[in-house]
């Protein structure tokens, strides 16, 4: 759809149709569209200095790195900039391998890590299939997801314990000493907004410590306000060794990503070069926009707003909606990061449409999405789920407006439930 313009949480087409963006484009426009201060910061940097190679220092680059590291967990004090999320993941894995001298990496089913060779090999969803056989050395595991538990768990704490035991079992048979890194999305994004049970991230941290494995948190989608925190791991007070970020770091206004690096891993490269680099690493325009975004977030209290929007408006609103619609199997999330999982049958939890389907078989989901769009709300649809992922700056009234549209649109999904 050709877009004519956008402002705040809204965009519009050339026919004047306006849409409340409940998708934040690709879950990256965290500060909303055309934030005037962010636009001004980019314009100012454009007038000052547009490009220098990564080997040189530039004020925007140094400031962005310092500001990001100051807001990250205590031991992560260095930043390696990239142009996006996939490159961040590639470089995080390279760092982990060089730091440990090991090769294998553990990555979760129901995950997405990017579309470059290494990142897609780690990805635990169908987007990987066409790139197989990809790079070797990936060991795949199930993360916690109580609604569709791989461990037949009945409670969050059972799910947590069994998911951690599953990791330990895999390490035993794979040889823990051969594993360089465990990669996870602290709150899984596109594959379902899977919020981990309390204790899970701390449990993975403990396993990594026990076996000398690097813990990599992929916060490309979950970071920079999405969960109402700078980093999703802050919610549980867990410190990974490496954090990958992109998307929300500057609201996608200019391509930017990066890896936050712990002191231990950074020390590995004190006396040897890190064999990685990109022509546009730390591009001044991108870095200036990250600096401005962090300042605006703090000036405008956006983290608190995103957290409260989740706990006071979106969460309660979605739970109310779930009570009215037999097609809603589960709602879950935090901050401005929510999923509505649709089912044909609440008893069996059969998804409203089959896994990874398209065309006619996906008709029920397409019809729900169309009903949202007709009413002026742009949803994020993945498999049998609608994700409610508006900008962090969306007002409570706008959020309620979007939820009211979702409530109406779900009548279409109800028609596809068993017995309807
Ligand atoms: C968790 C996660 N990691 C990595 C990526 C890849 O980021 P990019 O598309 O910027 O390469 C994404 C993109 O959606 C993501 O959600």
């Amino acid at each position: 759809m050709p877009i004519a313009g956008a402002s705040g949480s809204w965009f519009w087409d050339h026919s004047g149709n306006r849409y409340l963006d409940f998708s934040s484009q690709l879950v990256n426009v965290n500060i909303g569209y055309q934030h005037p201060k962010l636009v001004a910061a980019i314009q100012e940097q454009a007038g000052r200095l547009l490009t220098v190679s990564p080997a040189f220092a530039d004020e925007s680059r140094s400031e962005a790195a310092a500001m990001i590291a100051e807001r990250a967990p205590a031991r992560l004090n260095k930043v390696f900039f990239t142009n996006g999320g996939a490159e961040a993941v590639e470089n995080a894995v390279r760092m982990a391998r060089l730091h440990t001298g090991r090769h294998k990496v553990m990555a979760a089913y129901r995950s997405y890590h990017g579309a470059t060779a290494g990142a897609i090999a780690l990805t635990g969803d169908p987007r990987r299939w066409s790139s197989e056989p990809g790079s070797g050395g990936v060991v795949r595991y199930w993360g916690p997801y109580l609604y569709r538990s791989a461990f037949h768990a009945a409670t969050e704490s059972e799910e947590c314990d069994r998911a951690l035991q599953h990791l330990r079992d895999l390490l035993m048979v794979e040889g823990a000493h051969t594993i360089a890194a465990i990669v996870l999305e602290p709150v899984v994004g596109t594959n379902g907004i899977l919020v981990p049970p309390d204790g899970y991230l701390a449990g993975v941290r403990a396993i990594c410590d026990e076996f000398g494995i690097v813990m990599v948190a992929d916060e490309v989608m979950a970071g920079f306000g999405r969960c109402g925190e700078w980093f999703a791991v802050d919610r549980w007070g867990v410190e990974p060794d490496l954090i990958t970020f992109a998307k929300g770091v500057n609201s996608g206004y200019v391509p930017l990503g990066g890896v936050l690096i712990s002191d231990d891993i950074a020390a590995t490269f004190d006396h040897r070069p890190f064999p990685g680099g990109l022509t546009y690493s730390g591009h001044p325009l991108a870095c200036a926009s990250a600096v401005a975004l962090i300042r605006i977030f703090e000036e405008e209290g956006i983290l608190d707003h995103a957290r409260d929007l989740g706990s006071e408006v979106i969460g309660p609103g979605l739970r109310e909606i779930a009570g009215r619609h037999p097609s809603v199997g589960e709602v879950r999330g935090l901050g401005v990061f929510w999923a509505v999982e649709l089912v044909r049958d609440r008893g069996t939890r059969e998804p409203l449409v089959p896994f990874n389907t398209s065309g006619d078989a996906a008709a029920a989901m397409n019809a729900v999405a169309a009903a949202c769009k007709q009413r002026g709300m742009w949803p994020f649809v993945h498999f049998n789920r609608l994700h409610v992922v508006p900008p962090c700056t969306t007002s409570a009234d706008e959020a309620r407006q979007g939820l009211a549209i979702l409530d109406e649109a779900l009548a279409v999904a109800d028609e596809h439930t068993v017995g309807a």
Side-chain angles (χ1 to χ4, degrees), residues 42-371:
I42 294 169
Q43 285 167 335
E44 196 195 318
Q45 181 66 38
R48 203 155 57 82
L49 179 64
L50 265 172
T51 193
V52 285
S53 94
F56 295 97
D58 152 67
E59 201 180 309
S60 69
R61 184 176 289 161
S62 307
E63 213 176 348
M67 289 176 79
I68 293 168
E70 275 162 22
R71 282 150 190 83
R75 300 180 309 125
L76 286 83
N77 288 311
K78 289 212 163 124
V79 177
F80 178 91
F81 283 117
T82 65
N83 303 299
E87 287 174 355
V89 171
E90 297 286 346
N91 281 287
V93 167
R94 182 179 286 148
M95 286 172 202
R97 286 181 170 149
L98 291 167
H99 176 71
T100 58
R102 306 171 182 176
H103 183 75
K104 286 194 289 192
V105 176
M106 297 184 68
Y109 285 111
R110 303 192 202 276
S111 70
Y112 182 69
H113 296 293
T116 52
I120 202 71
L122 296 177
T123 288
D125 83 15
R127 283 173 279 187
R128 187 191 68 249
W129 297 349
S130 55
S131 300
E132 287 178 325
S135 64
V138 179
V139 176
R140 221 165 292 284
Y141 66 91
W142 291 102
Y145 178 17
L146 183 59
Y147 189 67
R148 299 190 187 282
S149 173
F151 312 109
H152 309 285
T155 64
E156 290 280 347
S157 81
E158 244 175 41
E159 182 74 356
C160 180
D161 293 349
R162 292 178 188 186
L164 290 171
Q165 186 57 45
H166 163 67
L167 276 180
R168 285 183 178 279
D169 292 345
L170 286 176
L171 286 169
M172 179 180 72
V173 291
E174 286 290 338
H177 64 287
T178 67
I179 305 292
I182 297 180
V183 179
L184 51 75
E185 294 174 73
V187 175
V188 174
T190 311
N191 280 272
I193 322 273
L194 309 177
V195 183
D198 289 344
Y200 180 71
L201 295 177
V204 175
R205 175 71 271 174
I207 288 173
C208 287
D209 287 342
E210 188 177 332
F211 297 106
I213 295 169
V214 173
M215 179 176 180
V216 182
D218 183 349
E219 297 241 8
V220 167
M221 191 176 275
F224 286 93
R226 203 35 61 198
C227 296
E229 309 284 346
W230 284 120
F231 297 97
V233 289
D234 298 342
R235 191 86 174 200
W236 293 274
V238 170
E239 295 201 10
D241 301 298
L242 298 171
I243 293 179
T244 55
F245 62 87
K247 292 189 187 271
V249 62
N250 61 359
S251 210
Y253 283 27
V254 182
L256 180 65
V259 187
L260 266 156
I261 310 165
S262 69
D263 296 336
D264 271 9
I265 295 181
T268 297
F269 304 104
D270 277 350
H271 301 290
R272 62 188 279 199
F274 173 68
L278 302 152
T279 298
Y280 301 115
S281 289
H283 193 281
L285 269 191
C287 287
S289 60
V291 169
L293 179 128
I294 292 171
R295 289 208 178 110
I296 300 164
F297 258 56
E298 289 179 343
E299 281 162 19
E300 300 185 2
I302 294 174
L303 290 181
D304 288 342
H305 176 71
R307 203 179 307 131
D308 294 348
L309 204 58
S311 57
E312 286 164 26
V313 181
I314 303 177
L318 286 178
R319 282 188 276 273
E320 241 184 83
I321 287 173
R324 283 194 285 276
H325 295 279
S327 57
V328 177
E330 184 177 66
V331 299
R332 53 178 178 263
L334 74 176
V336 281
F337 209 25
W338 290 82
V340 180
E341 174 143 5
L342 300 181
V343 291
R344 245 167 67 75
D345 182 332
R346 266 190 175 166
T348 63
R349 302 187 177 179
E350 180 190 347
L352 191 72
V353 298
F355 184 78
N356 191 40
T357 199
S358 60
D360 287 350
M365 288 306 293
N366 294 340
V368 180

